[in-house]
Amino acid sequence: MVRTRFAPSPTGYLHIGGLRTALYGFLYSKRYDGKFILRIEDTDTARYVDGSVQIIYDTMRDSGIMYDEGPDVGGDYGPYIQSERKSIYTEYAKKLVELGGAYYCFCTADRIESLKDSTGNIRYDKHCLSLSKEEIERRIANGEPYVIRQNVPTEGTGTYHDLVYGDISVDYKDIEDGILIKSDGMPTYNFANVVDDHLMGITHVIRGTEYLSSTPKYNLMYDAFGWERPTYIHLPPIMKDAQHKLSKRNGDASYEDFVKKGYVKEAIVNYIALLGWSPKSNVEKMSLKELCENFSLEGINKSPSIFDETKMKWLSGEYIKAMTDEEFVEKADAFLKQSKVYGKYDMLKVANLLKTRIEIFSEIPEKIDFLEEFGEYDLELYTHKKMKTDTEIAKKVLPLARKAIAELKEFTFDSVHDAMMNLVNELGVKNGQVFWCVRVAISGKQSTAGGVMEIAELLGKEETLRRLDYSIELLNK
Ligand code: GLU
């Protein structure tokens, strides 16, 4: 059975790159009816940020990238938090020492420092590899601090096949005898990832390319233990532009921030799926369920992908357009609340007005606040070259529009429309000349969500007339 995992370190919010790794692991496991596991890699206490484990749980739930096993949901392979697995790592590190794949090292910080070469690089010289068993036991019994290091061969080449990048080879002489267990007894990532992926039955390891060249040293451990190596899938980096990687430091690169900015959640997940993966068909808008059905490793690109916020915005707009008015009202609630019209108008009608005119929810207030806010505006708004309008046309059109609207018995979208069209014919002017002027007159804005009829319908007859009167007066001042 396919078992994939997402193994974030709790070092802050969940950035887009991390979420993409999680998403691909999730999609791959769902595609093959497998299991998706969340493991918290918190052994690097110096980088630990309070609250970030909760952010990971919340973000994954909120985005729909839900795990089958994990710290807060349980499972048969726990604990799923590395800091709770300390004794497991100690046990396996000792085993690895017995198997010759690792050794105790008592070198002091000063001795390590003395190994610095002219370029400032330090490379451990296997000094403690030759210590006798007795000496090691004696020094441990004496309470001397020690670490456990990996025993990497001095010659030979480690090769493996990555499903995205193909055959990868690294010469062992280029790999240092890295620390597996630190002096405080905590494992490093280099050791814990191997032990955990094996014990948790992970079949496919999906992670960023930064681990591509360290994987041969992990394979050495799998081999020493006699464990089966997992299948590796390394993912291309996500770039901010051609030169810069998208990083946590780029500010906006977190799921949470984009949600706060008003992006539709499904659109964020959909867009992230396309960062490094291309579907077979040209259809780009895909729900999580459709992504699960279509995801394939063959579609993963080797080359870095550029994070294009404009495209994600477009996708968000597509999701908004496809919503029912009810759905819109529910999903946009927090942003509708920020507008001045909240609770004062029929929100379903407002939704209908907005749906085709915004891409992200945060555009809502600026698009509809004119319904509540109306006062002096710049008369230049009447001047529009393409529409062939100006204040003179407005002066002619508005009093007649006011009269036509005042005479309406029924005040509906259709009746307002017909009244405006009659006026167009009566005056022998272009449609735009009437509609543009009336819209400015009743909104006081150049661009709004909605045209004359929609706005008038929402405002009601009385307010529409009041605004026309105000505008006529303003024009004749
Ligand atoms: N904790 C590692 C990280 O956050 C995980 C790498 C992996 O998936 O193996 O980069």
Side-chain angles (χ1 to χ4, degrees):
M1 197 219 288
V2 167
R3 288 176 61 84
T4 59
R5 85 314 190 261
F6 176 47
S9 302
T11 54
Y13 57 73
L14 195 46
H15 60 122
I16 292 298
L19 201 62
R20 195 233 359 219
T21 305
L23 178 61
Y24 285 13
F26 169 84
L27 294 176
Y28 191 71
S29 71
K30 296 303 141 203
R31 178 90 163 73
Y32 293 100
D33 285 329
K35 294 269 185 262
F36 176 56
I37 289 104
L38 174 68
R39 180 172 76 225
I40 300 293
E41 303 208 324
D42 59 346
T43 58
D44 189 350
T45 44
R47 289 175 64 223
Y48 185 84
V49 174
D50 251 356
S52 47
V53 174
Q54 195 58 44
I55 292 179
I56 293 166
Y57 297 158
D58 293 346
T59 306
M60 294 183 73
R61 273 196 178 72
D62 196 47
S63 60
I65 307 172
M66 194 51 199
Y67 35 96
D68 304 295
E69 297 170 26
D72 57 337
V73 299
D76 294 339
Y77 298 78
Y80 294 92
I81 296 192
Q82 287 187 330
S83 57
E84 293 170 16
R85 299 171 64 81
K86 211 169 151 182
S87 60
I88 301 176
Y89 306 121
T90 315
E91 178 195 334
Y92 280 94
K94 280 186 185 152
K95 239 185 226 170
L96 194 59
V97 170
E98 280 163 29
L99 292 165
Y103 58 95
Y104 292 91
C105 169
F106 300 88
C107 289
T108 58
D110 284 347
R111 168 149 208 286
I112 303 279
E113 189 67 18
S114 74
L115 298 173
K116 230 185 216 165
D117 65 16
S118 56
T119 62
N121 276 339
I122 297 176
R123 196 189 159 93
Y124 189 64
D125 59 355
K126 288 186 183 281
H127 179 259
C128 289
L129 182 59
S130 55
L131 299 181
S132 69
K133 213 167 172 218
E134 294 69 38
E135 181 172 359
I136 292 167
E137 275 165 17
R138 181 180 53 76
R139 291 173 79 166
I140 292 176
N142 276 348
E144 261 189 62
Y146 65 85
V147 299
I148 296 181
R149 286 184 185 272
Q150 184 173 8
N151 184 17
V152 180
T154 45
E155 44 192 52
T157 306
T159 302
Y160 72 101
H161 185 76
D162 180 84
L163 284 194
V164 174
Y165 289 89
D167 288 339
I168 302 291
S169 293
V170 177
D171 288 340
Y172 292 137
K173 67 173 172 39
D174 295 330
I175 304 177
E176 197 195 12
D177 283 1
I179 294 175
L180 302 181
I181 300 284
K182 295 181 277 190
S183 54
D184 62 0
M186 274 291 206
T188 56
Y189 167 78
N190 290 337
F191 188 52
N193 91 86
V194 172
V195 173
D196 288 347
D197 283 340
H198 172 72
L199 293 181
M200 294 182 181
I202 303 303
T203 56
H204 295 72
V205 167
I206 303 177
R207 62 184 167 209
T209 39
E210 60 268 37
Y211 299 99
L212 197 61
S213 59
S214 8
T215 297
K217 70 184 176 206
Y218 308 146
N219 285 334
L220 281 171
M221 291 187 255
Y222 280 98
D223 297 351
F225 279 121
W227 296 340
E228 193 182 332
R229 298 177 183 182
T231 299
Y232 295 105
I233 298 145
H234 287 95
L235 304 178
I238 302 176
M239 310 289 285
K240 183 173 176 261
D241 51 47
Q243 283 86 33
H244 306 92
K245 256 183 99 166
L246 192 70
S247 78
K248 297 191 191 189
R249 277 178 291 272
N250 290 152
D252 269 344
S254 94
Y255 170 84
E256 241 187 309
D257 283 337
F258 286 120
V259 172
K260 279 195 200 123
K261 270 183 156 183
Y263 283 83
V264 175
K265 292 172 184 177
E266 289 85 349
I268 305 176
V269 173
N270 188 160
Y271 181 65
I272 290 178
L274 301 174
L275 279 173
W277 171 73
S278 332
K280 277 204 192 87
S281 71
N282 284 330
V283 182
E284 291 192 304
K285 180 170 174 280
M286 273 184 271
S287 66
L288 197 53
K289 190 167 165 282
E290 287 164 327
L291 287 169
C292 288
E293 286 157 8
N294 288 293
F295 188 74
S296 68
L297 296 176
E298 298 83 67
I300 298 179
N301 315 315
K302 265 191 217 152
S303 46
S305 32
I306 297 197
F307 184 81
D308 178 359
E309 196 171 338
T310 313
K311 178 152 184 199
M312 185 164 83
K313 223 178 228 174
W314 165 79
L315 206 48
S316 177
E318 293 301 298
Y319 274 84
I320 290 181
K321 272 191 212 123
M323 286 176 191
T324 62
D325 294 344
E326 286 78 7
E327 255 179 289
F328 182 95
V329 169
E330 191 192 316
K331 295 195 164 151
D333 188 59
F335 295 89
L336 286 168
K337 275 192 180 127
Q338 284 168 24
S339 76
K340 298 203 164 64
V341 311
Y342 188 74
K344 296 190 175 124
Y345 290 81
D346 179 348
M347 286 296 120
L348 290 174
K349 281 209 171 123
V350 170
N352 189 271
L353 199 74
L354 286 166
K355 260 168 33 185
T356 52
R357 295 179 171 89
I358 58 167
E359 292 184 311
I360 55 177
F361 293 135
S362 50
E363 293 170 51
I364 289 177
E366 73 187 49
K367 283 273 194 275
I368 54 171
D369 275 354
F370 74 89
L371 289 170
E372 273 299 295
E373 252 176 3
F374 183 74
E376 196 157 346
Y377 55 86
D378 186 356
L379 290 176
E380 271 311 299
L381 292 181
Y382 285 107
T383 307
H384 194 288
K385 258 212 183 116
K386 230 170 97 200
M387 295 287 171
K388 295 198 167 45
T389 68
D390 54 30
T391 46
E392 287 315 305
I393 306 266
K395 275 185 196 163
K396 209 160 76 184
V397 166
L398 295 184
L400 295 170
R402 197 237 177 253
K403 187 164 169 280
I405 288 176
E407 281 167 6
L408 289 178
K409 292 210 171 57
E410 256 183 80
F411 190 75
T412 61
F413 184 100
D414 288 340
S415 68
V416 174
H417 177 260
D418 292 348
M420 294 302 104
M421 284 312 290
N422 286 341
L423 196 57
V424 168
N425 295 329
E426 206 179 292
L427 290 171
V429 294
K430 291 201 177 312
N431 294 6
Q433 290 176 303
V434 167
F435 285 91
W436 182 272
C437 290
V438 175
R439 193 166 54 87
V440 170
I442 62 176
S443 69
K445 287 264 164 358
Q446 175 151 32
S447 117
T448 52
V452 172
M453 285 73 74
E454 287 126 327
I455 298 172
E457 225 190 346
L458 273 165
L459 292 174
K461 187 170 173 179
E462 207 182 310
E463 177 65 9
T464 304
L465 290 175
R466 189 186 75 77
R467 290 186 178 196
L468 280 167
D469 287 338
Y470 176 90
S471 293
I472 293 166
E473 208 176 297
L474 196 66
L475 273 164
N476 290 307
K477 247 188 196 170

